[in-house]
Amino acid sequence: MSGGYDVPHGATKRAAESSVDAECSSRAWSYWPDFEDLSNELARLLGAAQEGGSTVSECLLTASRIDPQDEDNWYREWKKTADASRERGDTAFRGGHVLTAQSNWLRAVNYYQAAAYPFDAADNRLQGVLARMRSCAHHYLEQLTPAAEVVDIPWLDDYSLQGYLLPAPAPAGLVPVVICIGEPGSRKEEYLYKTARYARDRGMAMLAVDLLGSGTGAQFEKVAGRSDLETAIGSVVDYLLARGDVDERRIAILGDGAGSSFVARGVALDRRVAAAVCDGGIWDLHERAFLMQRVASLHCGVAAMSRRSSIARYIKCPVLVTLGERGWLEKDNVTMLFEQIRDHHRDIQLKIFQRSETAAAQGHSDNPTLANEYIFDWIADRLAADARHRLGRRTQA
């Protein structure tokens, strides 16, 4: 699953584009038919409305003022909408209306993210809107009950990660926690409206983290091309265990995004994760098969490559893979890749959301609620099963 529609880079992008079903594409909703990327971003924003990350009216009003051919116009209009929401939040807070303030700050976070969408890390406008986005996120976190924390997580020698730790609603002793981390380049702020309530309602703490560092992301270019991004997963788990308030046997991870194979690799290296929602190595296999010029078909490539893949072979915890039928990969190819992975890891489950039920777009952006309900129920079941297993072992002893 994905927080939006970020297109993977390099060979993965070319493979993904080549696998999109033409009939599927023609039936997909598009506000600006000639600007698919901006239409997808608007669809993501509209989908966030049911989670509190936007309102439909604000999104459509903003879109009506946008000339998609004018990059500056896109930036200005979404920033204007974000600024208005932030100002409403500040005014409500000064008047003692904390809940209204939180709602507006949360929407401002999403609108600022939309304003930042077209720009690279070197653009000064990007740095400005991201600074405002994080300010709204921090105000929101400070007013939660119990209050959340902004935490720094050591990773590389000169590059630490930043996370938002939202405690369980009524902690009693050691608590289960779900780590939410997106593909490289995604931002942790989206999890405040996207997944936080699903963790809270099931009695879990949530740690939202990204790979953008503790600044506004300008240094990210230095690490984005690293071949060992998966080491970040172990550092995040190290941080949680060092706190002393987390149940070390009930740590789950949600790797959000098509490029979350680095999460699967991290889980394969770290046996302390009790359950994982990620691609399970599917994108790695897909990219490898695409790059195998000597094979005549994807089926042969998958079979050859799966024998060389060490990801599924070394993942020991239960894994859930969720995809949408209208996503980048064709359903049949996904199923074939999944069957190859299951040869090495039996405790892996694939859920493909169909067109008929929604949540079928890339990243489930058309109905994130449906996907999140399924995902967090699965996580809760796996963590509860592990707890029951440990209790049974103690009773037998």
Side-chain angles (χ1 to χ4, degrees):
M1 95 180 257
S2 169
Y5 56 92
D6 294 335
V7 177
H9 300 290
T12 305
K13 177 181 177 181
R14 295 191 296 274
E17 290 174 341
S18 68
S19 68
V20 173
D21 188 296
E23 179 268 342
C24 162
S25 296
S26 66
R27 293 175 60 185
W29 177 86
S30 182
Y31 191 86
W32 299 288
D34 294 331
F35 297 88
E36 184 179 0
D37 56 343
L38 299 184
S39 294
N40 286 340
E41 176 67 355
L42 178 59
R44 182 194 69 80
L45 286 156
L46 289 167
Q50 60 204 49
E51 304 291 4
S54 66
T55 68
V56 172
S57 295
E58 286 177 316
C59 289
L60 294 179
L61 178 61
T62 305
S64 72
R65 301 193 302 251
I66 289 175
D67 175 1
Q69 299 185 77
D70 184 349
E71 185 177 273
D72 289 335
N73 177 240
W74 171 277
Y75 160 79
R76 288 193 306 271
E77 294 303 332
W78 284 114
K79 181 178 178 297
K80 182 189 299 183
T81 300
D83 286 341
S85 190
R86 176 179 59 84
E87 290 167 7
R88 279 196 301 271
D90 293 347
T91 299
F93 183 70
R94 288 193 296 269
H97 304 293
V98 175
L99 293 177
T100 298
Q102 287 179 301
S103 296
N104 279 276
W105 288 331
L106 206 56
R107 293 196 296 272
V109 164
N110 201 14
Y111 299 147
Y112 281 128
Q113 180 170 322
Y117 167 70
F119 303 117
D120 60 34
D123 195 296
N124 289 332
R125 290 170 296 181
L126 173 67
Q127 300 307 314
V129 295
L130 292 187
R132 291 190 177 202
M133 178 188 71
R134 287 194 169 181
S135 175
C136 289
H138 294 180
H139 289 328
Y140 172 81
L141 293 169
E142 290 166 359
Q143 300 306 315
L144 290 177
T145 304
E149 302 176 51
V150 180
V151 301
D152 285 324
I153 301 170
W155 179 28
L156 307 175
D157 290 340
D158 58 347
Y159 192 89
S160 62
L161 305 176
Q162 187 183 84
Y164 299 148
L165 183 62
L166 284 66
L174 302 180
V175 299
V177 61
V178 57
I179 302 164
C180 293
I181 183 168
E183 61 190 24
S186 68
R187 300 184 178 97
K188 62 186 175 296
E189 285 74 18
E190 67 183 289
Y191 297 115
L192 298 182
Y193 59 83
K194 185 176 177 181
T195 59
R197 74 178 179 92
Y198 296 97
R200 181 184 63 247
D201 291 348
R202 290 160 179 78
M204 306 175 197
M206 184 188 83
L207 175 62
V209 63
D210 56 33
L211 299 181
L212 294 172
S214 55
T216 53
Q219 293 180 303
F220 174 66
E221 299 299 327
K222 298 179 182 179
V223 302
R226 293 179 65 98
S227 60
D228 62 347
L229 292 179
E230 63 270 17
T231 61
I233 304 304
S235 296
V236 172
V237 177
D238 287 343
Y239 166 79
L240 287 173
L241 295 183
R243 291 178 57 87
D245 56 358
V246 169
D247 186 338
E248 64 179 12
R249 300 294 186 91
R250 290 192 291 165
I251 298 175
I253 187 164
L254 168 56
D256 190 19
S260 66
S261 273
F262 87 92
V263 175
R265 294 194 298 272
V267 173
L269 293 173
D270 199 314
R271 306 294 177 84
R272 297 171 295 179
V273 176
V277 182
C278 60
D279 74 356
I282 281 179
W283 274 98
D284 272 359
L285 281 180
H286 189 275
E287 185 174 66
R288 292 183 187 193
F290 177 79
L291 293 174
M292 273 190 73
Q293 300 295 330
R294 65 180 179 273
V295 297
S297 69
L298 178 60
H299 184 277
C300 295
V302 170
M305 282 301 180
S306 66
R307 290 193 293 269
R308 301 180 189 180
S309 174
S310 61
I311 295 180
R313 192 183 304 275
Y314 289 102
I315 294 178
K316 299 302 180 184
C317 69
V319 175
L320 171 66
V321 181
T322 72
L323 294 168
E325 190 178 23
R326 292 198 294 110
W328 291 322
L329 292 181
E330 293 181 357
K331 178 180 175 181
D332 290 345
N333 286 343
V334 169
T335 303
M336 181 170 55
L337 290 163
F338 173 76
E339 292 300 328
Q340 295 292 336
I341 290 174
R342 197 163 60 174
D343 287 344
H344 301 301
H345 186 63
R346 302 304 299 178
D347 197 357
I348 184 170
Q349 179 180 341
L350 174 65
K351 168 63 175 176
I352 298 179
F353 287 88
Q354 309 294 327
R355 292 178 176 87
S356 60
E357 62 180 328
T358 70
Q362 180 65 31
H364 314 300
S365 60
D366 56 326
N367 193 348
T369 301
L370 196 65
N372 282 328
E373 288 172 345
Y374 189 95
I375 287 169
F376 278 85
D377 282 349
W378 183 90
I379 291 173
D381 287 346
R382 294 307 176 277
L383 296 187
D386 183 74
R388 288 193 298 268
H389 177 66
R390 286 185 288 122
L391 179 61
R393 289 172 58 182
R394 291 197 198 103
T395 302
Q396 292 173 5

